[in-house]
Amino acid sequence: MSDPQPVYLSDYQPPAYRVTHTELTFDLDPAATRVKARLLMERHPEAALDAPLVLNGEHLKLISLAIDATSLEASAYELDEGGLRIAQVPERFVLESEVEIAPQENTALEGLYQSNGMYCTQCEAEGFRRITFYPDRPDVMATFKVTVIGDQQREPILLANGNPIERGELEGGRHFVTWEDPHPKPCYLFALVAGNLHSVEDHFTTMSGRDVTLQIWVEKENLDKTEHAMASLKRAMAWDEQAYGREYDLDLFMIVAVNDFNMGAMENKGLNIFNSAAVLTHPQTATDAAFQSVEGIVAHEYFHNWSGNRVTCRDWFQLSLKEGFTVFRDQCFSADTNSAPVKRIQDVSFFRTAQFAEDAGPTAHPVRPDHYIEITNFYTLTIYEKGAEVVRMLRNLVGEETFRRGSDLYFERFDGQAVTIEEFVGCMAEVSGEDFSQFMRWYSQAGTPDIDAHGEYDYVHGEYHLTLRQRTPATPGQPDKLPLHIPVRMGLVGTKSGQDLTLTLNGEKIGKDAVIHLRDDEQTFVFTDVAEAPVPSLLREFSAPVKIHYPYSREDLAFLLTHDSDGFNRWDAGQRLALLALDDLIAAHRNGVEKVMDSRVVDAFKALLNGPMSDKAVLAEMLTLPSEAYIAEQQPIVDVDAIHAAREFVRQSLAMALRDEFAAIYEANMSEEAYAPTPEQIAQRSLKNVALAYLMSIEDEQGLAWCEAQFAADHNMTDVRQALTQLVHSDRDDLASPALKAFGEKWAHDPLVMDQWFTVQVSRPQPDVLERVKYLMQHPAFSLKNPNRVRALIGAFAQNRVNFHRLDGQGYQLLADVVIELNRLNPEIAARLITPLTRWQRFDETRQALMRSELERIKQQPLSANVYEVVEKALA
């Protein structure tokens, strides 16, 4: 498709015709599924009397079409690749259609498709138009009644949204089930699943005393991998009642695990469809990170029942209305369920690495974009994670109790409606009495704000003057930026006492930990009655999604690392201290001079290792160096080789200097206790494996022995995966090769574990990785048609910075080849995979030219709208 045209928020118009009730009948067949639709329709009150009826439809073979039981001749409508247009229709009418579709040929995994012989759907954002002709937009909400007909042997289980109301047998060994969903929903929340599935069942009693049946449907061999997901679902249901007063509204809640799925999961009303990686866990097959991820994703999709389903988006520009709010909700749930400090550190670490990069790249866009070509390209970190940070700021500005009153008002006022971000923020303004007009710029303005901070202590008057200046860099289409309302949570830590000092601002005591509000380009805050010289602790708990620049000395950072009362800022001080040392080493590598380790970093890490270990999970995070990706984001020009060399030098220097401390940590946290994904056990394993990684970085003899023993013990996948990774990433191929062979043979039957097997191999730092990728692409277990496998192999390789960014450009060439092939099979995955090439401007001239060349080569192909939009922006 050449030059697809953008859609603009400013062009929004209500639908000319609404659907009030939808009845669908599916007669399933891999090559020729018949879909009959009966739509009760009416003209929108604001639509013109002569408005034509326009319905979306793609890849549909029209069999019949009728209005009010009268068949339409071909001359009565227009049909093209995008849909159906009928020039004249009554004010109210019944539209009946029958179409034929081919699920087995649907490699895009949008609409109705087959995965391992199972039928399933993915309709968000615009997949329903691949099922039948319909106004495929979120502001058309209807009740649904769905009948699914399938073969009793091949498809004994037939599922759809809502509650089952009828079932029976038909001729020819076929059967049917009819489902009814009484709650109006947009068609993107429609779901159907049919296949040979088995379920695990449980029950939940709601706060009003209703009994809800809970079912998780999987293939038979995965029945033993559902326990954690079910427990997570019940915890999420209880949490949502307690935290938000939201009760589930149907008699049945179902989750289905699907191997071939573009996303993580989908919140279809009453029938959530999950990527199998987001629901299946077992101690022998899933890591701690997978257990925690499943818990968060199950909660996220369940929370959508209210923040997304009962109240949905008016249009796709409002996507963050449901996703940003729901990510915030699932983050709070996970923090309450596990270690809150670690959850915040991990979320922000990921956010600052990946979303800040997105904000600085050619595809930067606001939390609410003003235009798009392909909406699936906007399921981004900006919409989700930055949107969640904006909601978090809003919560912190009004306070928890007021935020709850605002969310209650939002859910009650707009239940059953499709609304905008203004309605959500308006509810918060109404209950708090606050003016959020400036705050709304967070939704319309792209880019990451920078805050330049400067502080001076006046010994004579006992005052501390803090000056903050904000600036947001230009982004595509937005050269000029307005000042934002930025809440900066802070404290002043006394250099003598090592304690937080009481803050007095404008004559008012505001506590020892408070929020100051930066609204102008520049503001100075004068704190009085400051008894001793302080070090400022700024942006505590990451109170706003900004970059803050303060001229901390290394001594200041070491002081905060020890004395800051805010756990997040203690971690951040350690990261900043390490980054300063890394900056020196990157320069040394670039200039060809000897690298010298900063003793202050060693001393800081030694203090951590020898200090109190009240929270092992936090300690594990504090001992983890900034990633190569995050280091790269701090550099004006990314020098891949220098960054890798500098980080390895720091890692090995710390391991050599603190070898005994790391060994003691490892030994102290060894355990034969039966596996459980509890916060305490996860923290223990995390700290132990951080210590092992340091020891393995210098191939310590004892560390190697522990690593081999940990792999052989096969106690749990967290420990096995970590040991395998360390062996494969070492230079000891004599140990790595047999471990890889044993792991691959043992788990060849398990797709999710094999994903890990692929990733471990292509994320190693050795220069043979590109050849490994090419070899593994020919492996019988690899398929470009499976998104999980593509992410595990190609996606992981593209994140292996030192090997993907080879100076000969072969890494770029391989990625471009895959993108070109995937553009034909699955455009959505192709567009997501191309991201590393779009950041070409951040690199040296040689790599810039190589990356641009591959983007130009991709551009010469016949492209989907998905890939076209990304490539066009990258080259602009």
Side-chain angles (χ1 to χ4, degrees):
M1 294 182 289
S2 60
D3 297 323
Q5 296 304 301
V7 179
Y8 291 94
L9 171 60
S10 57
D11 290 340
Y12 172 83
Q13 295 289 332
Y17 294 88
R18 299 183 294 204
V19 183
T20 58
H21 180 66
T22 300
E23 294 182 7
L24 301 171
T25 301
F26 290 81
D27 197 347
L28 298 175
D29 182 274
T33 290
R34 289 291 180 101
V35 183
K36 293 181 180 179
R38 185 173 184 271
L39 312 180
L40 276 61
M41 305 196 70
E42 62 183 26
R43 187 184 302 125
H44 193 284
E46 299 176 15
L49 296 179
D50 59 350
L53 173 66
V54 179
L55 301 176
N56 305 106
E58 296 176 2
H59 306 281
L60 306 175
K61 179 182 177 181
L62 181 61
I63 306 300
S64 65
L65 188 65
I67 289 182
D68 292 334
T70 301
S71 296
L72 297 185
E73 300 294 331
S75 59
Y77 58 86
E78 298 174 27
L79 191 63
D80 61 27
E81 290 183 355
L84 179 70
R85 184 179 187 275
I86 305 175
Q88 293 182 324
V89 294
E91 182 178 357
R92 287 183 176 82
F93 57 97
V94 176
L95 179 75
E96 294 175 281
S97 67
E98 183 174 3
V99 301
E100 184 177 285
I101 55 179
Q104 69 180 11
E105 296 175 13
N106 184 356
T107 60
L109 312 185
E110 294 179 294
L112 178 67
Y113 64 94
Q114 279 195 298
S115 170
N116 286 358
M118 176 182 10
Y119 293 89
C120 52
T121 57
Q122 172 57 33
C123 294
E124 187 177 354
E126 296 177 338
F128 194 76
R129 62 190 62 189
R130 286 172 168 256
I131 291 174
T132 190
F133 291 104
Y134 203 86
D136 189 2
R137 46 190 290 169
D139 56 353
V140 174
M141 302 178 71
T143 54
F144 275 69
K145 183 179 180 181
V146 178
T147 298
V148 186
I149 302 170
D151 184 273
Q152 283 184 307
Q153 297 298 317
R154 290 196 308 267
E155 299 99 35
I157 302 300
L158 306 171
L159 308 175
N161 310 82
N163 299 314
I165 59 171
E166 187 180 0
R167 64 181 70 235
E169 296 184 1
L170 301 170
E171 294 180 355
R174 297 178 74 75
H175 68 136
F176 76 92
V177 180
T178 298
W179 296 79
E180 188 171 56
D181 185 354
H183 299 283
K185 66 173 180 280
C187 63
Y188 82 84
L189 291 172
F190 168 78
L192 178 154
V193 174
N196 187 9
L197 296 167
H198 298 262
S199 71
V200 171
E201 185 168 298
D202 205 335
H203 292 264
F204 180 83
T205 303
T206 69
M207 58 186 180
S208 67
R210 289 177 48 251
D211 178 71
V212 179
T213 300
L214 311 177
Q215 295 175 342
I216 299 180
W217 291 90
V218 297
E219 291 167 320
K220 188 175 182 179
E221 62 268 23
N222 292 323
L223 282 169
D224 65 341
K225 299 175 184 174
T226 60
E227 181 181 349
H228 180 66
M230 183 66 81
S232 299
L233 174 59
K234 295 176 76 172
R235 283 194 294 270
M237 296 176 80
W239 186 89
D240 209 20
E241 290 185 347
Q242 180 181 359
Y244 284 87
R246 299 299 109 192
E247 184 175 335
Y248 187 62
D249 48 8
L250 291 171
D251 300 328
L252 177 63
F253 185 90
M254 297 175 286
I255 290 174
V256 180
V258 176
N259 285 330
D260 301 304
F261 202 69
N262 282 346
M263 300 185 181
M266 179 61 210
E267 70 268 18
N268 315 298
K269 182 74 179 183
L271 178 57
N272 286 193
I273 298 179
F274 274 59
N275 186 319
S276 56
V279 69
L280 301 179
T281 57
H282 187 280
Q284 295 302 116
T285 61
T287 63
D288 289 337
F291 272 88
Q292 291 181 315
S293 175
V294 164
E295 181 177 61
I297 295 171
V298 167
H300 179 96
E301 304 308 329
Y302 173 76
F303 296 155
H304 266 313
N305 187 58
W306 278 92
S307 51
N309 296 3
R310 290 286 288 262
V311 184
T312 195
C313 308
R314 186 196 72 178
D315 53 71
W316 289 120
F317 296 101
Q318 320 296 328
L319 180 58
S320 194
L321 174 68
K322 74 181 185 78
E323 295 301 346
F325 186 20
T326 306
V327 169
F328 170 70
R329 274 153 53 72
D330 83 56
Q331 287 176 347
C332 293
F333 165 76
S334 294
D336 288 348
T337 307
N338 299 287
S339 168
V342 169
K343 176 62 177 168
R344 191 63 181 142
I345 288 168
Q346 291 175 343
D347 286 344
V348 175
S349 179
F350 172 69
F351 181 86
R352 296 197 307 195
T353 301
Q355 197 284 322
F356 280 4
E358 187 169 276
D359 261 352
T363 59
H365 55 275
V367 174
R368 178 169 59 188
D370 58 8
H371 70 281
Y372 62 79
I373 290 177
E374 173 52 60
I375 184 56
T376 57
N377 287 341
F378 285 82
Y379 283 73
T380 60
L381 298 169
T382 300
I383 302 295
Y384 280 65
E385 273 72 17
K386 188 172 182 178
E389 292 300 323
V390 174
V391 174
R392 184 181 296 270
M393 283 192 292
L394 195 58
R395 190 276 308 269
N396 292 342
L397 285 171
V398 302
E400 288 194 22
E401 289 186 11
T402 302
F403 185 81
R404 168 64 190 271
R405 287 194 287 116
S407 66
D408 285 349
L409 177 63
Y410 171 70
F411 289 131
E412 290 158 10
R413 179 175 290 173
F414 299 113
D415 188 12
Q417 298 182 46
V419 298
T420 66
I421 287 167
E422 279 79 4
E423 270 85 13
F424 176 71
V425 177
C427 286
M428 299 301 165
E430 185 174 330
V431 297
S432 68
E434 298 285 342
D435 179 1
F436 290 117
S437 53
Q438 183 183 17
F439 184 85
M440 285 297 294
R441 292 174 188 167
W442 280 104
Y443 285 103
S444 60
Q445 198 159 276
T448 302
D450 287 280
I451 298 179
D452 294 312
H454 178 72
E456 289 185 359
Y457 180 59
D458 183 339
Y459 285 87
V460 176
H461 298 97
E463 294 179 347
Y464 186 79
H465 296 238
L466 179 66
T467 299
L468 303 179
R469 301 181 186 90
Q470 64 165 299
R471 53 186 171 84
T472 303
T475 53
Q478 289 188 344
D480 302 313
K481 307 290 184 174
L482 295 169
L484 296 161
H485 178 185
I486 303 176
V488 179
R489 185 177 162 194
M490 63 160 294
L492 296 176
V493 187
T495 53
K496 290 182 180 178
S497 64
Q499 301 292 317
D500 282 353
L501 306 177
T502 299
L503 302 175
T504 303
L505 185 64
N506 300 323
E508 179 186 354
K509 291 187 185 300
I510 57 175
K512 295 183 177 183
D513 180 281
V515 175
I516 57 176
H517 299 273
L518 177 60
R519 292 185 173 92
D520 301 330
D521 289 325
E522 179 177 331
Q523 286 173 242
T524 297
F525 302 86
V526 180
F527 298 92
T528 55
D529 302 322
V530 182
E532 56 182 297
V535 176
S537 172
L538 303 173
L539 208 68
R540 286 180 161 178
E541 285 293 316
F542 196 64
S543 60
V546 303
K547 297 178 182 178
I548 194 152
H549 310 278
Y550 184 90
Y552 289 114
S553 68
R554 299 186 196 206
E555 289 73 19
D556 289 338
L557 293 170
F559 174 79
L560 289 175
L561 182 59
T562 305
H563 296 288
D564 201 324
S565 64
D566 182 70
F568 174 83
N569 269 14
R570 283 186 66 212
W571 168 81
D572 191 47
Q575 297 287 292
R576 290 173 181 265
L577 183 60
L579 282 170
L580 289 175
L582 285 160
D583 284 344
D584 293 345
L585 294 164
I586 289 167
H589 182 89
R590 195 178 288 138
N591 296 325
V593 300
E594 183 183 0
K595 299 182 183 72
V596 179
M597 183 62 187
D598 187 338
S599 61
R600 286 163 292 196
V601 177
V602 177
D603 292 342
F605 272 61
K606 187 171 186 176
L608 289 172
L609 288 164
N610 292 326
M613 298 184 190
S614 55
D615 191 331
K616 293 181 178 182
V618 171
L619 179 58
E621 295 294 336
M622 296 181 82
L623 292 171
T624 302
L625 293 172
S627 68
E628 290 183 24
Y630 184 65
I631 298 166
E633 288 306 309
Q634 315 312 307
Q635 305 293 315
I637 297 294
V638 178
D639 187 332
V640 176
D641 301 310
I643 290 171
H644 178 71
R647 189 177 186 276
E648 283 302 292
F649 180 81
V650 171
R651 201 160 72 102
Q652 292 168 3
S653 297
L654 289 169
M656 287 186 287
L658 303 171
R659 185 265 169 207
D660 292 345
E661 285 85 350
F662 283 122
I665 288 283
Y666 186 87
E667 279 195 292
N669 288 281
M670 295 172 74
S671 173
E672 293 299 320
E673 186 180 3
Y675 178 92
T678 61
E680 296 76 20
Q681 277 201 22
I682 290 173
Q684 188 173 357
R685 281 187 290 272
S686 179
L687 183 56
K688 177 187 71 174
N689 284 319
V690 166
L692 180 63
Y694 274 106
L695 294 171
M696 285 294 292
S697 73
I698 56 173
E699 296 189 7
D700 177 79
E701 186 176 339
Q702 180 62 70
L704 276 165
W706 279 332
C707 196
E708 286 185 275
Q710 183 168 306
F711 178 79
D714 199 20
H715 185 269
N716 61 81
M717 182 53 75
T718 303
D719 284 347
V720 171
R721 163 76 184 265
Q722 178 67 10
L724 180 66
T725 299
Q726 295 306 323
L727 290 170
V728 173
H729 290 209
S730 75
D731 290 324
R732 294 292 302 272
D733 281 347
D734 59 317
L735 301 178
S737 295
L740 267 176
K741 184 173 184 292
F743 189 92
E745 289 175 353
K746 177 176 181 178
W747 296 110
H749 66 283
D750 191 307
L752 296 182
V753 181
M754 287 302 288
D755 285 341
Q756 300 181 56
W757 184 76
F758 279 99
T759 296
V760 165
Q761 296 183 69
V762 300
S763 57
R764 67 190 239 124
Q766 284 77 4
D768 67 344
V769 167
L770 182 65
E771 286 65 39
R772 280 185 182 244
V773 174
K774 292 177 180 178
Y775 172 76
L776 290 170
M777 287 180 71
Q778 306 306 314
H779 193 281
F782 180 77
S783 170
L784 278 177
K785 294 182 179 180
N786 180 265
N788 285 355
R789 197 52 47 84
V790 171
R791 286 184 281 256
L793 181 61
I794 308 301
F797 168 64
Q799 298 305 313
N800 183 341
R801 303 177 73 85
V802 74
N803 280 301
F804 174 67
H805 293 286
R806 289 166 46 136
L807 266 175
D808 61 8
Q810 288 191 38
Y812 307 147
Q813 182 181 335
L814 182 140
L815 181 61
D817 288 343
V818 172
V819 167
I820 289 168
E821 178 65 15
L822 273 175
N823 174 71
R824 182 180 62 83
L825 295 171
N826 190 329
E828 183 176 338
I829 297 301
R832 293 179 183 277
L833 208 60
I834 203 173
T835 299
L837 290 177
T838 69
R839 308 276 163 79
W840 61 270
Q841 295 184 13
R842 299 278 289 111
F843 293 83
D844 58 81
E845 291 184 3
T846 301
R847 288 183 171 95
Q848 282 191 19
L850 291 166
M851 295 165 88
R852 274 190 62 96
S853 174
E854 295 304 326
L855 287 167
E856 294 283 4
R857 182 163 71 92
I858 295 170
K859 189 179 178 182
Q860 299 308 310
Q861 309 298 316
L863 294 181
S864 62
N866 310 63
V867 176
Y868 172 86
E869 180 173 28
V870 176
V871 171
E872 192 70 14
K873 287 180 176 179
L875 291 171

